[in-house]
Amino acid sequence: MNAKVQIQFPEQSIPLYRTPQMVDAYSLAFSTNTQIQVLISCISKETVRIKDLERKNCPVPHSFTVLESLISIAEDLATNYCNTFDVEHEKYKNGLNSSDNQYDAGDLLEPYGLAYEVSTWLSTLIYQMKDELITVKKSSTTLCDAVFAGLENLINIADYLSDSHRNTFKIEFEKYEAEWEATKNA
């Protein structure tokens, strides 16, 4: 009598991730935030250049206070979160050789959720910079629009990239959020 015994192992219902996925999440957040940080620094330098040019050509120069304040807030925010993402990236990267670390979708929600939130804030600030630049250009009686072209281009690039990064993080966040909700309900 030959009886076949089939042993079935229960399928794992909760997908688990390893350290490389956490490293990748924080690496992506760090690198995209760094890109925006560099652009904001360039925007700041170009704003100072234009402000100085207007001061030389106008007895009563236009106030750049609001634009400079927005830039300062964006610089501080980008720097702060670059540091946060870098610390977390290094923490997980240093644990890369530990093969027993397992993470679930809930763990990946944190870096992608934070990156999505930060990129949304930066996107909003950059959009406000764009609006303020329009006000500055309209108020300037001594400088032609061509003087503002470089600054305008930098802000447009930062706006595009921040929106693109925000959309990327939103997709990743929603993916892991759905997976996390599914595992909680299983």
Side-chain angles (χ1 to χ4, degrees):
M1 184 178 263
N2 287 339
K4 283 189 173 181
V5 178
Q6 290 185 337
I7 300 174
Q8 290 186 339
F9 295 102
E11 290 184 30
Q12 184 178 344
S13 62
I14 300 174
L16 294 177
Y17 301 93
R18 299 273 184 203
T19 304
Q21 284 84 20
M22 294 297 284
V23 170
D24 289 348
Y26 281 110
S27 178
L28 181 61
F30 174 70
S31 66
T32 57
N33 208 54
T34 301
Q35 291 171 359
I36 299 300
Q37 183 184 30
V38 168
L39 281 167
I40 291 168
S41 177
C42 292
I43 290 167
S44 178
K45 289 174 186 171
E46 186 64 11
T47 301
V48 169
R49 186 188 71 75
I50 293 171
K51 182 179 171 183
D52 290 344
L53 186 61
E54 187 173 58
R55 250 193 228 132
K56 291 175 187 175
N57 295 314
C58 183
V60 183
H62 180 270
S63 174
F64 283 76
T65 306
V66 175
L67 182 58
E68 289 175 315
S69 293
L70 290 168
I71 293 167
S72 177
I73 293 166
E75 284 178 319
D76 288 346
L77 186 65
T79 299
N80 183 39
Y81 282 99
C82 270
N83 293 338
T84 299
F85 293 136
D86 189 33
V87 166
E88 291 298 313
H89 173 258
E90 289 301 315
K91 180 175 90 175
Y92 286 103
K93 189 173 138 186
N94 291 335
L96 199 55
N97 296 331
S98 180
S99 61
D100 60 346
N101 290 345
Q102 293 185 341
Y103 305 96
D104 59 27
D107 295 314
L108 284 162
L109 275 176
E110 185 175 332
Y112 287 116
L114 183 57
Y116 172 59
E117 188 171 355
V118 170
S119 60
T120 299
W121 294 341
L122 288 169
S123 184
T124 301
L125 283 166
I126 292 165
Y127 182 80
Q128 290 300 316
M129 285 180 215
K130 190 186 269 191
D131 277 354
E132 186 58 26
L133 180 59
I134 291 168
T135 303
V136 170
K137 280 174 57 174
K138 286 180 182 176
S139 301
S140 178
T141 55
T142 58
L143 300 176
C144 67
D145 285 351
V147 172
F148 295 97
L151 178 58
E152 201 166 26
N153 286 336
L154 286 169
I155 291 174
N156 286 335
I157 292 166
D159 186 39
Y160 171 78
L161 278 179
S162 65
D163 279 347
S164 176
H165 297 329
R166 183 186 64 197
N167 291 336
T168 298
F169 290 123
K170 180 180 181 185
I171 290 166
E172 291 300 307
F173 175 75
E174 288 174 348
K175 177 176 86 176
Y176 289 112
E177 183 180 44
E179 187 178 308
W180 177 243
E181 289 300 320
T183 60
K184 287 189 337 186
N185 296 331

